Amino acid sequence: MKRDRTVLTDDIWERIEPLLSGKATDPGRTADNRLFLEAVLWRFRTRSPWRDLPAYFGNGKRVFRRF
């Protein structure tokens, strides 16, 4: 499912991307750092619990564990 709206612009993402740690083999790391960060921003912007994270962000428990 494609997201209709993102919080991070490409310009902002280019500046943030090098600061995020994690390799594909690290526990709890999602396949997409940008999607992870969008999920965290969505959660705090909406003040929703992790379990209400929309499906396109992935499993809420995994995102929370990584957070």
Side-chain angles (χ1 to χ4, degrees), residues 23-43:
K23 303 179 299 290
T25 57
D26 288 346
R29 184 189 181 284
T30 58
D32 183 350
N33 277 335
R34 187 174 186 167
L35 187 62
F36 163 72
L37 189 53
E38 291 275 0
V40 172
L41 293 172
W42 179 90
R43 192 269 182 200

Side-chain angles (χ1 to χ4, degrees), residues 8-51:
L8 298 172
T9 63
D10 290 339
D11 181 51
I12 292 171
W13 175 244
E14 287 176 12
R15 290 186 268 163
I16 293 172
E17 185 178 20
L19 303 174
L20 292 175
S21 62
K23 303 179 299 290
T25 57
D26 288 346
R29 184 189 181 284
T30 58
D32 183 350
N33 277 335
R34 187 174 186 167
L35 187 62
F36 163 72
L37 189 53
E38 291 275 0
V40 172
L41 293 172
W42 179 90
R43 192 269 182 200
F44 284 101
R45 186 178 67 241
T46 63
R47 299 181 184 182
S48 296
W50 291 104
R51 68 178 174 271

